[in-house]
Amino acid sequence: MEIISFEDLGLDERTLAAVEAKGFESPTPIQILAIPRLLNGDANVIAKARTGTGKTAAFGLPLVQTIREDKGRVQALVLTPTRELALQVCKEIESFTGGKFPRLTPVYGGQFMGEQRRALRSGCEIVVGTPGRIKDHIERGSLKLEHIDYFVLDEADEMLDMGFIEDIEAIFEQANPESRILLFSATMPPPILKIAAAFM
């Protein structure tokens, strides 16, 4: 059986150096599936993946490889169900960045709005946050999504269970309709597939 390496997935030297520094040896099935598709500009991706399958790297590595300059706007949004996951995903993606960019900002409930608004104002390329707080920032004008290139839903089924479906729909309506959508979910309940059908 042929062993697939990270080099085979289309990652460049800088990203491969980050992978090596993390001690990743060979890609997981979700990474083999998602990374090349995200790098080659393929359409949207819906993937069934549970926690612990390496899915943060599956979308995080392509993001850090394609977002390497300050365009004066947010270029990617990652929605997560909980504050803990938002911080974890943020930290994980930051650990892949070899240079100055992309800059990440986590936004979630329970932290001062003012602090988050300052962080967003000072400039960032990737925002990772929970649906309720992301929606708050959009409504207050501190976060604009009309020019994002990537919209990632991480653990979509968890967000559904927590009652975030309307917030997600509201956020989608404010986001760039041309953005690439990546949806990761351990299960695929009908409301999630409905969102996918409506926006992808």
Side-chain angles (χ1 to χ4, degrees), residues 23-130:
F24 292 166
E25 305 214 332
S26 48
T28 65
I30 188 69
Q31 291 162 0
I32 292 169
L33 173 95
I35 291 172
R37 285 179 169 82
L38 297 182
L39 287 175
N40 70 14
D42 234 13
N44 303 315
V45 173
I46 301 183
K48 219 168 165 176
R50 46 187 77 246
T51 308
T53 53
K55 67 181 157 60
T56 304
F59 62 81
L61 291 168
L63 289 182
V64 300
Q65 180 159 313
T66 49
I67 301 173
R68 284 197 174 148
E69 57 176 317
D70 177 0
K71 293 185 177 173
R73 60 177 170 85
V74 173
Q75 297 173 49
L77 171 70
V78 182
L79 274 190
T80 64
T82 64
R83 175 176 73 180
E84 291 71 30
L85 192 62
L87 289 166
Q88 190 187 317
V89 166
C90 208
K91 203 170 156 202
E92 176 90 354
I93 297 176
E94 272 173 343
S95 74
F96 305 141
T97 58
K100 194 175 162 194
F101 300 106
R103 297 162 298 176
L104 285 94
T105 298
V107 301
Y108 48 84
Q111 187 193 35
F112 287 123
M113 265 313 244
E115 215 172 290
Q116 293 175 359
R117 289 173 77 156
R118 263 195 305 280
L120 290 167
R121 245 200 328 270
S122 65
C124 69
E125 284 68 49
I126 302 176
V127 172
V128 184
T130 50

Side-chain angles (χ1 to χ4, degrees), residues 77 79 107 127 129-138 143 171:
L77 171 70
L79 274 190
V107 301
V127 172
T130 50
R133 184 51 67 99
I134 292 283
K135 194 168 154 256
D136 285 349
H137 279 290
I138 292 170
L143 177 61
I171 294 164

Side-chain angles (χ1 to χ4, degrees), residues 44-45 63 75-79 134 138 145 148-154 159 167-176 178-184 195 199-200:
N44 303 315
V45 173
L63 289 182
Q75 297 173 49
L77 171 70
V78 182
L79 274 190
I134 292 283
I138 292 170
L145 302 179
I148 58 169
D149 301 310
Y150 297 92
F151 192 136
V152 182
L153 286 116
D154 192 10
M159 291 194 264
D167 286 350
I168 294 170
E169 286 172 346
I171 294 164
F172 258 117
E173 274 154 19
Q174 299 301 315
N176 175 8
E178 301 295 305
S179 63
R180 307 271 305 285
I181 299 166
L182 330 172
L183 188 148
F184 293 90
I195 279 198
F199 294 102
M200 292 171 107

